[in-house]
Amino acid sequence: MKLCCRKLISPARFILQSIQSRNSHVNREDFIPPNLVMAKVNPLLHNVTIQEVPKISDKIPVFRHCVEKLPKNKNAISVWLDNLLHARPQYNSVVQLHPVLFDTHPRMDILHSVVRWQQEYREVDYSWSRTRAEIGRGKKKPWPQKGTGRARHGSSNSPLWVKGGISQGPRGPRASFYELNPNTLLDGLLIALSIKHIQNDLIIIESAQISQDMPDFDEYLENRNLSEASMLLVHAENENISYLEHLAEDSKLLNIMPLYGLNVCSILKHDKLVLSRCILDELEHKVLWHKTRYPWLGSPHNFYIDMPGQDNKQSVDTNTSEPIGETGHM
């Protein structure tokens, strides 16, 4: 048996060549690491000037503090507060965000399950086919049972016949809705909010209620490098957003949504998430209430006694119970 001998490269020489090939592009001006993925705009290639965001120090006044109690192992998150009335960012005030909402470990499996649920729960399959009982023809026997030499048949509506009924076909409408665990839905929302904060795609504005005195909206976007970024603005119910609605009608990149409509798909579909300062307290209160409404589940408990609301029922029963002698009834 003959073997084909080829020229082999020594391991040391192979490692040296691979290192040289990896570092061959480091000295170039447009060097970008191969594992870095930049969204849409690359400032090194397109020569776009991006304003540097200053770091937040302790001397900057805090415009909003966290309402709910913080976990022991985490601190409040400080974010710059922007204003729609200023054409350029001021960087003079800070708001604090709760770490449970904006510092959750991003689990892609939970995020995928929530997105899939949102895409499928409203889908309805309307495809429908007729069975042999719903065919418009009569149910007459096509030919006698014997004597013709042909196979025996009892009706031409059978699925064996052309233009006959369909066996085990679709019988719509059929909904694709299924229930998802409420904790999974809440975790998916917190993961989506945390991802926007980690990727610097979260913007907190002072208020969404503005008048026509607002400067040019295109200038506001250009000064923040948001001209080509799609934005989702979330506002409170008591805010008057009539002027913003007028801007959203003329813009293809701006969408407006109230707080009660906030969902995972809408957050991930847009490049930037803009939250009004007025909704932070309500959002924090609702999320923390859902997170801590069953604190007894993690420890040994009696379901019938420790369940929320049972203490009130027991106190009412003890207060309403009276001796038989006082009421006069047996």
Side-chain angles (χ1 to χ4, degrees), residues 123-128 170-174:
E123 296 294 332
V124 180
D125 184 12
Y126 290 98
S127 57
W128 175 79
R171 301 289 293 178
R174 179 178 175 271

Side-chain angles (χ1 to χ4, degrees), residues 31-45:
F31 163 64
I32 297 178
N35 60 344
L36 179 62
V37 179
M38 304 189 71
K40 292 186 178 181
V41 178
N42 186 349
L44 297 178
L45 300 180

Side-chain angles (χ1 to χ4, degrees), residues 289-308:
W289 182 85
H290 280 283
K291 280 287 187 180
T292 59
R293 59 177 173 170
Y294 297 140
W296 44 272
L297 283 178
S299 58
H301 61 276
N302 187 335
F303 181 82
Y304 297 99
I305 297 177
D306 298 334
M307 186 175 180

Side-chain angles (χ1 to χ4, degrees), residues 200-257:
N200 294 327
D201 292 334
L202 179 66
I203 302 174
I204 307 297
I205 59 175
E206 185 173 352
S207 176
Q209 184 174 349
I210 57 176
S211 60
Q212 296 183 359
D213 298 336
M214 176 184 177
D216 188 10
F217 189 65
D218 294 335
E219 183 181 0
Y220 172 87
L221 298 178
E222 289 179 0
N223 293 331
R224 292 160 176 81
N225 300 308
L226 301 176
S227 301
E228 299 180 358
S230 59
M231 295 187 300
L232 175 65
L233 193 148
V234 185
H235 63 89
E237 297 183 32
N238 56 359
E239 289 182 312
N240 185 11
I241 56 167
S242 57
Y243 185 65
L244 276 179
E245 290 177 350
H246 177 68
L247 293 177
E249 290 179 357
D250 300 335
S251 176
K252 296 181 180 180
L253 301 176
L254 176 63
N255 287 324
I256 302 175
M257 177 181 293

